[in-house]
Amino acid sequence: MEYSDDSNGDVGVSSVHACFNTLNSLSGVGILAIPYALASGGWISILFFFLIGATTWYTGLLLQRCLKLEPTTRSYPDITYKAFGKKGRLLVSIFIYIELYLVATAILILEADNMSHMFPHAAIRFRGCFILDKKNLFIVVASLIVLPTVWLETQVFLSYISAGGILVSCILVMSIFWIGAIEGVGFKNKGVLVNWPGIPTSVSLYLVCYTAHPVFPTIYNSMKNKNHFPKILFISFALSSMIYGVMAIFGYLMYGEEVQSQITLNLPTHKVSAVIAISTTIVSPLTKYALILSPIMEAINTRLMKANYKRRSVRMLTGTGLVLGTILVALVVPLFGYVMSLIGALLTSFTSIVFPCAIYLKISKGYRRCVEFESVVLVVIIAMGLVLMVTGTYSAIVGIIVHL
């Protein structure tokens, strides 16, 4: 997910372009973890996946309704301000920024895991002692690669490169299928019907697949024909759910309970198709890193530039500071699956389920648009989101503590 708070937008974007942008916003690193999510909860957990998909599609529509009721609003925080004032806007902004920060951290962990898988003997030693083992080494290497990108005044060219998220997802699915069907791995694992202790982790990771709501208002406001947005949202959710679902089923059938938090870590590195999949996984997230952190940087830069600091110096300072911060978290908690689970449970459940419903209840009340039955449905969804938040966050934190 890439959040934008650009109030200007690209007015006049075609419906096809908007559909591409929406689908791309839903195509993230969650595709690597979704086979692990299915393995964590068992086959029955896929019902939760489709339930979450349907729920987040509906809450996306709620945001669009709020935008229609309040035409002057341009972004997710703007809608929150209309509903709950400055405190509400501050709260949702904090959640979004923490989410973006942890996604950037997860990218460094992902890079380190996959580079370690490709180069298992890499390490820095001095007199026979490890200074940096392979995982920590590649966290540092990945951060050095992305550091210059956060210093740039504009990431326009990165926007075009990172827009390949849909293509990357398709390449990964095709590579996994090729390895399973053609290169001997097969689809022989039956898996288990249900694993109740793993359901919270499973649901949290499913939530990560739908962590795109903060960009929906920007996409909606950029459209030439805004009436097409509900159709575009449905198509995007349907296609992304199909891609995620196919990846989950293929991965679980291939590796069963042995599937790792990133399915690329199961792939045999001597196979050409596996090298393509892993290489694509390594390159694509690196191009997204600066864009993911850019809203946080802009928020900090705006504050600092009010104190008459030079723009270029401020950008280099804040960019370097944020990169160092994500390095620190990645080194301390190098657990991709649990970090992603924490993002889904604590943050996505809030920004994609709880708050859209609460915002719509508040805004529609003034316009008398929310009927009694729908109000009950929204309260039920909010309650469900809070339950997912509490259980998933507890499970993720316990997992992190146990595995550190």
PDB file of all heavy atoms in Angstrom, residues 31-32 43 69 78 95 114 116 134 153 184 221 227 232 320 327 340 365:
ATOM      1  N   ILE A  31       1.133 -11.078  -0.842  1.00  0.00           N
ATOM      2  CA  ILE A  31       1.019 -12.268  -1.683  1.00  0.00           C
ATOM      3  C   ILE A  31       2.063 -13.321  -1.314  1.00  0.00           C
ATOM      4  O   ILE A  31       1.849 -14.513  -1.486  1.00  0.00           O
ATOM      5  CB  ILE A  31       1.128 -11.894  -3.178  1.00  0.00           C
ATOM      6  CG1 ILE A  31       0.660 -13.066  -4.046  1.00  0.00           C
ATOM      7  CG2 ILE A  31       2.562 -11.467  -3.549  1.00  0.00           C
ATOM      8  CD1 ILE A  31       0.460 -12.717  -5.494  1.00  0.00           C
ATOM      9  N   LEU A  32       3.206 -12.894  -0.770  1.00  0.00           N
ATOM     10  CA  LEU A  32       4.245 -13.845  -0.367  1.00  0.00           C
ATOM     11  C   LEU A  32       3.845 -14.611   0.887  1.00  0.00           C
ATOM     12  O   LEU A  32       4.244 -15.760   1.081  1.00  0.00           O
ATOM     13  CB  LEU A  32       5.565 -13.117  -0.111  1.00  0.00           C
ATOM     14  CG  LEU A  32       6.193 -12.383  -1.295  1.00  0.00           C
ATOM     15  CD1 LEU A  32       7.408 -11.608  -0.836  1.00  0.00           C
ATOM     16  CD2 LEU A  32       6.576 -13.372  -2.385  1.00  0.00           C
ATOM     17  N   TRP A  43      -7.524 -25.234   5.969  1.00  0.00           N
ATOM     18  CA  TRP A  43      -8.388 -24.954   4.817  1.00  0.00           C
ATOM     19  C   TRP A  43      -9.599 -24.115   5.179  1.00  0.00           C
ATOM     20  O   TRP A  43     -10.056 -23.291   4.389  1.00  0.00           O
ATOM     21  CB  TRP A  43      -8.843 -26.264   4.174  1.00  0.00           C
ATOM     22  CG  TRP A  43      -7.777 -26.960   3.395  1.00  0.00           C
ATOM     23  CD1 TRP A  43      -7.170 -28.139   3.695  1.00  0.00           C
ATOM     24  CD2 TRP A  43      -7.174 -26.505   2.174  1.00  0.00           C
ATOM     25  NE1 TRP A  43      -6.220 -28.456   2.754  1.00  0.00           N
ATOM     26  CE2 TRP A  43      -6.208 -27.474   1.797  1.00  0.00           C
ATOM     27  CE3 TRP A  43      -7.346 -25.388   1.370  1.00  0.00           C
ATOM     28  CZ2 TRP A  43      -5.428 -27.343   0.650  1.00  0.00           C
ATOM     29  CZ3 TRP A  43      -6.573 -25.262   0.217  1.00  0.00           C
ATOM     30  CH2 TRP A  43      -5.633 -26.237  -0.125  1.00  0.00           C
ATOM     31  N   LEU A  69     -20.894  12.648   0.190  1.00  0.00           N
ATOM     32  CA  LEU A  69     -21.620  13.486   1.146  1.00  0.00           C
ATOM     33  C   LEU A  69     -20.842  14.743   1.511  1.00  0.00           C
ATOM     34  O   LEU A  69     -21.423  15.782   1.824  1.00  0.00           O
ATOM     35  CB  LEU A  69     -21.924  12.679   2.415  1.00  0.00           C
ATOM     36  CG  LEU A  69     -22.936  11.534   2.273  1.00  0.00           C
ATOM     37  CD1 LEU A  69     -23.006  10.730   3.557  1.00  0.00           C
ATOM     38  CD2 LEU A  69     -24.317  12.072   1.904  1.00  0.00           C
ATOM     39  N   ASP A  78      -8.887  13.816   5.770  1.00  0.00           N
ATOM     40  CA  ASP A  78      -9.902  14.864   5.592  1.00  0.00           C
ATOM     41  C   ASP A  78     -11.285  14.360   6.010  1.00  0.00           C
ATOM     42  O   ASP A  78     -12.043  15.058   6.692  1.00  0.00           O
ATOM     43  CB  ASP A  78      -9.959  15.316   4.131  1.00  0.00           C
ATOM     44  CG  ASP A  78      -8.788  16.202   3.746  1.00  0.00           C
ATOM     45  OD1 ASP A  78      -8.069  16.656   4.659  1.00  0.00           O
ATOM     46  OD2 ASP A  78      -8.578  16.419   2.543  1.00  0.00           O
ATOM     47  N   PHE A  95      -2.100   6.102  12.942  1.00  0.00           N
ATOM     48  CA  PHE A  95      -2.239   4.702  12.546  1.00  0.00           C
ATOM     49  C   PHE A  95      -1.676   4.474  11.140  1.00  0.00           C
ATOM     50  O   PHE A  95      -0.990   3.481  10.886  1.00  0.00           O
ATOM     51  CB  PHE A  95      -3.707   4.278  12.610  1.00  0.00           C
ATOM     52  CG  PHE A  95      -4.104   3.679  13.924  1.00  0.00           C
ATOM     53  CD1 PHE A  95      -4.305   4.482  15.039  1.00  0.00           C
ATOM     54  CD2 PHE A  95      -4.269   2.322  14.064  1.00  0.00           C
ATOM     55  CE1 PHE A  95      -4.657   3.945  16.259  1.00  0.00           C
ATOM     56  CE2 PHE A  95      -4.631   1.756  15.273  1.00  0.00           C
ATOM     57  CZ  PHE A  95      -4.822   2.575  16.379  1.00  0.00           C
ATOM     58  N   ASN A 114      15.181 -13.142   1.475  1.00  0.00           N
ATOM     59  CA  ASN A 114      15.313 -13.681   0.124  1.00  0.00           C
ATOM     60  C   ASN A 114      16.758 -13.632  -0.376  1.00  0.00           C
ATOM     61  O   ASN A 114      17.207 -14.552  -1.074  1.00  0.00           O
ATOM     62  CB  ASN A 114      14.389 -12.933  -0.835  1.00  0.00           C
ATOM     63  CG  ASN A 114      12.947 -13.378  -0.701  1.00  0.00           C
ATOM     64  OD1 ASN A 114      12.546 -14.398  -1.246  1.00  0.00           O
ATOM     65  ND2 ASN A 114      12.158 -12.617   0.054  1.00  0.00           N
ATOM     66  N   SER A 116      19.330 -13.897   1.588  1.00  0.00           N
ATOM     67  CA  SER A 116      19.969 -14.974   2.352  1.00  0.00           C
ATOM     68  C   SER A 116      19.675 -16.324   1.726  1.00  0.00           C
ATOM     69  O   SER A 116      20.521 -17.222   1.719  1.00  0.00           O
ATOM     70  CB  SER A 116      19.474 -14.952   3.804  1.00  0.00           C
ATOM     71  OG  SER A 116      19.794 -13.746   4.438  1.00  0.00           O
ATOM     72  N   LYS A 134      24.364 -13.556   7.829  1.00  0.00           N
ATOM     73  CA  LYS A 134      23.838 -13.286   6.483  1.00  0.00           C
ATOM     74  C   LYS A 134      22.567 -12.430   6.519  1.00  0.00           C
ATOM     75  O   LYS A 134      22.390 -11.542   5.687  1.00  0.00           O
ATOM     76  CB  LYS A 134      23.581 -14.594   5.741  1.00  0.00           C
ATOM     77  CG  LYS A 134      22.572 -15.518   6.417  1.00  0.00           C
ATOM     78  CD  LYS A 134      22.414 -16.822   5.635  1.00  0.00           C
ATOM     79  CE  LYS A 134      21.402 -17.743   6.317  1.00  0.00           C
ATOM     80  NZ  LYS A 134      21.253 -19.022   5.585  1.00  0.00           N
ATOM     81  N   GLU A 153      14.106  14.500  -4.453  1.00  0.00           N
ATOM     82  CA  GLU A 153      13.025  15.473  -4.333  1.00  0.00           C
ATOM     83  C   GLU A 153      11.717  14.930  -4.904  1.00  0.00           C
ATOM     84  O   GLU A 153      10.644  15.302  -4.484  1.00  0.00           O
ATOM     85  CB  GLU A 153      13.396  16.764  -5.075  1.00  0.00           C
ATOM     86  CG  GLU A 153      14.450  17.589  -4.368  1.00  0.00           C
ATOM     87  CD  GLU A 153      13.941  18.227  -3.093  1.00  0.00           C
ATOM     88  OE1 GLU A 153      12.722  18.483  -3.001  1.00  0.00           O
ATOM     89  OE2 GLU A 153      14.734  18.458  -2.175  1.00  0.00           O
ATOM     90  N   GLY A 184       8.462 -30.722 -10.757  1.00  0.00           N
ATOM     91  CA  GLY A 184       8.548 -31.877  -9.871  1.00  0.00           C
ATOM     92  C   GLY A 184       8.103 -31.712  -8.441  1.00  0.00           C
ATOM     93  O   GLY A 184       8.010 -32.702  -7.711  1.00  0.00           O
ATOM     94  N   ASN A 221     -11.020  10.828  -6.104  1.00  0.00           N
ATOM     95  CA  ASN A 221     -11.001  12.246  -6.457  1.00  0.00           C
ATOM     96  C   ASN A 221     -10.233  12.537  -7.743  1.00  0.00           C
ATOM     97  O   ASN A 221     -10.383  13.595  -8.336  1.00  0.00           O
ATOM     98  CB  ASN A 221     -10.401  13.060  -5.303  1.00  0.00           C
ATOM     99  CG  ASN A 221     -11.411  13.305  -4.201  1.00  0.00           C
ATOM    100  OD1 ASN A 221     -12.515  13.779  -4.447  1.00  0.00           O
ATOM    101  ND2 ASN A 221     -11.045  12.966  -2.970  1.00  0.00           N
ATOM    102  N   ASN A 227     -18.683   8.218 -10.875  1.00  0.00           N
ATOM    103  CA  ASN A 227     -19.769   7.246 -10.736  1.00  0.00           C
ATOM    104  C   ASN A 227     -19.312   5.823 -11.038  1.00  0.00           C
ATOM    105  O   ASN A 227     -19.991   4.857 -10.681  1.00  0.00           O
ATOM    106  CB  ASN A 227     -20.934   7.612 -11.664  1.00  0.00           C
ATOM    107  CG  ASN A 227     -21.620   8.892 -11.238  1.00  0.00           C
ATOM    108  OD1 ASN A 227     -21.695   9.203 -10.049  1.00  0.00           O
ATOM    109  ND2 ASN A 227     -22.116   9.651 -12.205  1.00  0.00           N
ATOM    110  N   ILE A 232     -15.355  -0.130 -10.337  1.00  0.00           N
ATOM    111  CA  ILE A 232     -13.901  -0.291 -10.340  1.00  0.00           C
ATOM    112  C   ILE A 232     -13.438  -0.983  -9.064  1.00  0.00           C
ATOM    113  O   ILE A 232     -12.585  -1.874  -9.085  1.00  0.00           O
ATOM    114  CB  ILE A 232     -13.217   1.080 -10.492  1.00  0.00           C
ATOM    115  CG1 ILE A 232     -13.353   1.575 -11.927  1.00  0.00           C
ATOM    116  CG2 ILE A 232     -11.743   1.024 -10.082  1.00  0.00           C
ATOM    117  CD1 ILE A 232     -12.963   3.007 -12.119  1.00  0.00           C
ATOM    118  N   THR A 320      17.336   9.823   5.968  1.00  0.00           N
ATOM    119  CA  THR A 320      18.360   8.997   6.618  1.00  0.00           C
ATOM    120  C   THR A 320      17.886   8.506   7.981  1.00  0.00           C
ATOM    121  O   THR A 320      18.080   7.336   8.336  1.00  0.00           O
ATOM    122  CB  THR A 320      19.670   9.794   6.777  1.00  0.00           C
ATOM    123  OG1 THR A 320      20.102  10.268   5.500  1.00  0.00           O
ATOM    124  CG2 THR A 320      20.760   8.936   7.391  1.00  0.00           C
ATOM    125  N   ILE A 327      15.950   0.110   9.874  1.00  0.00           N
ATOM    126  CA  ILE A 327      17.040  -0.860  10.040  1.00  0.00           C
ATOM    127  C   ILE A 327      17.038  -1.406  11.461  1.00  0.00           C
ATOM    128  O   ILE A 327      17.133  -2.627  11.682  1.00  0.00           O
ATOM    129  CB  ILE A 327      18.417  -0.223   9.741  1.00  0.00           C
ATOM    130  CG1 ILE A 327      18.557   0.136   8.277  1.00  0.00           C
ATOM    131  CG2 ILE A 327      19.552  -1.171  10.141  1.00  0.00           C
ATOM    132  CD1 ILE A 327      19.816   0.934   7.973  1.00  0.00           C
ATOM    133  N   MET A 340       4.220  -8.772   9.693  1.00  0.00           N
ATOM    134  CA  MET A 340       3.075  -8.605   8.802  1.00  0.00           C
ATOM    135  C   MET A 340       1.765  -8.897   9.535  1.00  0.00           C
ATOM    136  O   MET A 340       0.747  -8.222   9.328  1.00  0.00           O
ATOM    137  CB  MET A 340       3.214  -9.523   7.593  1.00  0.00           C
ATOM    138  CG  MET A 340       4.375  -9.188   6.666  1.00  0.00           C
ATOM    139  SD  MET A 340       4.201  -7.576   5.866  1.00  0.00           S
ATOM    140  CE  MET A 340       2.939  -7.935   4.644  1.00  0.00           C
ATOM    141  N   LYS A 365     -25.151  10.329   9.623  1.00  0.00           N
ATOM    142  CA  LYS A 365     -26.154  10.729  10.617  1.00  0.00           C
ATOM    143  C   LYS A 365     -26.652  12.144  10.355  1.00  0.00           C
ATOM    144  O   LYS A 365     -27.843  12.434  10.462  1.00  0.00           O
ATOM    145  CB  LYS A 365     -25.542  10.625  12.024  1.00  0.00           C
ATOM    146  CG  LYS A 365     -26.523  10.932  13.138  1.00  0.00           C
ATOM    147  CD  LYS A 365     -25.847  10.780  14.489  1.00  0.00           C
ATOM    148  CE  LYS A 365     -26.818  11.090  15.624  1.00  0.00           C
ATOM    149  NZ  LYS A 365     -26.166  10.971  16.959  1.00  0.00           N
TER     150      LYS A 365
END
